[in-house]
Amino acid sequence: MSLKGKLLLPIVQGGMGVGISASRLVGTVAALGGLGTISSVDLRRHHEDLMDSTQGEVEKGVVDAANLQALDREINLARERSGGNGGIAVNIMKAVSQYPEYVRQSCESGADAVVVGAGLPLDLPELVQDHPKVALIPILSDVRGVTLLVKKWLRRKRLPDAVVLENPRYAAGHLGAADDQSLNKPEYAFQRVLEGCRALFRELGLESERIPLIAAGGIHRPEQLRQLMDWGADGVQMGTAFAVTEEGDAHENFKRVLLDAEAKDIVTFMSVAGLPARAVRTPWLDAYLHKEKKLQSVARERPCTEGFDCLAHCGLRDGVQRHGQFCIDRQLAYALKGDVQRGLFFRSSEALPFGKAMKSVRELMDYMLNGRSKTPGVVPAV
């Protein structure tokens, strides 16, 4: 897969927050020739000094500044670990309040790519106009969304450098669908979206550009990678499978929750961000879902419980009854630290490549690219 003229393996590690995909995981993926993706959300939680400086009653700007500093640190740490190989991307949710600042910081800190989901990033070309070497990668779910974005960007004389096509039927975390009843719509099917996007590019005269298409959502077998590439994909993005690797940045308890989850334990619910989300039904989530309707019925505007307004639109803070009614930053932070009782653990609906076994990033990439090799750990040269 070629990105801004650099040849990469067809394996992208998806961005996972809070703090699940940080410098250790991302740098390892890049070192092996893949594209590693830092999740920009609340990265101060990986830095004790920044957490100390933002405890207690502090102004929103202090927390925001700490998170930008943490993002800069994580990009540079990932770059060091990568040894200059592969690519370092940053995933930024369009739905977060600091979206423009995270984009600018990612570019200034030397990220190779900016990946944006949880909303249409129609303004992304303007935000990175001073950094033409940074690849722009939107996350979308259907041909309609890709068509809208590409036509808007063409007016600005810019094209996506790649597009992640995430199928909400299988993906983890926030899902690109209006509600949980929409998750199985046929327009999200991989073959339909991939072939539809290639047809769109032909219609717009963009065949020579060869915009890479990256399929995402529940992918866990090498046979899927080969099939998707036959349908027109240039690579695949994987999240949960990388989260549970030895190099994953979360606590080992976090990994065990994801590894041990059975199909019956994985649920879809409405996030505080106003998007469907998929996670493991752990004690906190089970308790929350039992009282969700009651909490929604009494929703009202209130101050941000964490004091820094991480989301531009928050169901809990803004009193939106149809959205989730919990602090997502706090629950995800509990998960990062391995608090099984209180954490929110995002996970794909699908099986994991090695079942309940925890393996290294190298073994995972080798498996996806080569199948179950007799000489594990050998990743082919780009």
Side-chain angles (χ1 to χ4, degrees), residues 4 31 38 41 51-52 83 108 113 128 169 200 211 220 259 267 272 286 301 312 324-325 334 343:
K4 282 286 189 182
I38 294 169
V41 179
M51 285 301 294
D52 288 343
E108 291 169 7
V128 302
R169 180 176 178 179
L200 169 68
I211 299 170
H220 60 281
L259 287 164
V267 295
V272 68
D286 185 63
E301 289 187 35
Q325 298 296 311
Y334 285 144

Side-chain angles (χ1 to χ4, degrees), residues 99-348:
Y99 158 69
E101 290 80 9
Y102 282 149
V103 171
R104 294 189 186 102
Q105 186 65 62
S106 299
C107 294
E108 291 169 7
S109 298
D112 297 305
V114 170
V115 182
V116 180
L120 272 172
L122 300 180
D123 57 348
L124 191 53
E126 284 79 18
L127 293 175
V128 302
Q129 59 186 352
D130 295 331
H131 301 275
K133 293 183 180 180
V134 177
L136 305 185
I137 308 176
I139 302 176
L140 300 161
S141 294
D142 59 18
V143 178
R144 180 175 173 273
V146 176
T147 301
L148 175 59
L149 181 133
V150 170
K151 288 185 175 180
K152 289 280 188 181
W153 282 22
L154 274 171
R155 294 173 195 160
R156 296 165 169 82
K157 297 181 170 49
R158 184 68 198 253
L159 288 171
D161 295 289
V163 179
V164 173
L165 298 170
E166 185 175 82
N167 190 329
R169 180 176 178 179
Y170 308 112
H174 289 106
L175 309 173
D179 50 51
D180 57 3
Q181 283 75 46
S182 305
L183 298 177
N184 295 329
K185 283 186 174 180
E187 52 261 45
Y188 297 139
F190 283 128
Q191 183 174 9
R192 182 166 175 173
V193 179
L194 288 164
E195 293 178 352
C197 285
R198 291 297 173 207
L200 169 68
F201 297 158
R202 288 194 297 273
E203 177 188 329
L204 297 175
L206 301 176
E207 284 181 282
S208 61
E209 303 291 339
R210 188 60 193 185
I211 299 170
L213 297 177
I214 302 164
I219 297 160
H220 60 281
R221 298 195 313 274
E223 296 82 6
Q224 292 171 308
L225 170 59
R226 290 192 288 270
Q227 178 66 82
L228 289 162
M229 294 184 79
D230 286 344
W231 287 336
D234 296 274
V236 296
Q237 176 178 286
M238 303 166 67
T240 305
F242 276 108
V244 300
T245 58
E246 294 167 355
E247 295 89 347
D249 289 279
H251 192 282
E252 186 164 340
N253 288 353
F254 175 95
K255 301 174 189 181
R256 286 263 51 105
V257 168
L258 270 59
L259 287 164
D260 293 342
E262 304 290 346
K264 62 181 176 59
D265 301 321
I266 302 165
V267 295
T268 304
F269 60 99
M270 186 58 70
S271 165
V272 68
L275 295 166
R278 183 170 288 120
V280 181
R281 189 190 282 268
T282 46
W284 171 80
L285 184 53
D286 185 63
Y288 167 75
L289 291 175
H290 277 96
K291 59 186 178 184
E292 180 182 50
K293 292 190 184 305
K294 181 179 180 180
L295 292 171
Q296 289 174 327
S297 71
V298 297
R300 58 177 175 80
E301 289 187 35
R302 66 185 74 195
C304 171
T305 58
E306 293 296 292
F308 72 108
D309 299 306
C310 65
L311 293 171
H313 303 284
C314 170
L316 179 64
R317 182 196 65 214
D318 301 336
V320 184
Q321 291 191 347
R322 66 183 181 277
H323 294 179
Q325 298 296 311
F326 59 90
C327 176
I328 193 167
D329 182 76
R330 182 189 304 148
Q331 305 308 144
L332 290 174
Y334 285 144
L336 171 67
K337 298 302 182 184
D339 189 333
V340 177
Q341 295 300 313
R342 295 185 291 177
L344 171 58
F345 295 77
F346 285 150
R347 189 198 189 282
S348 163

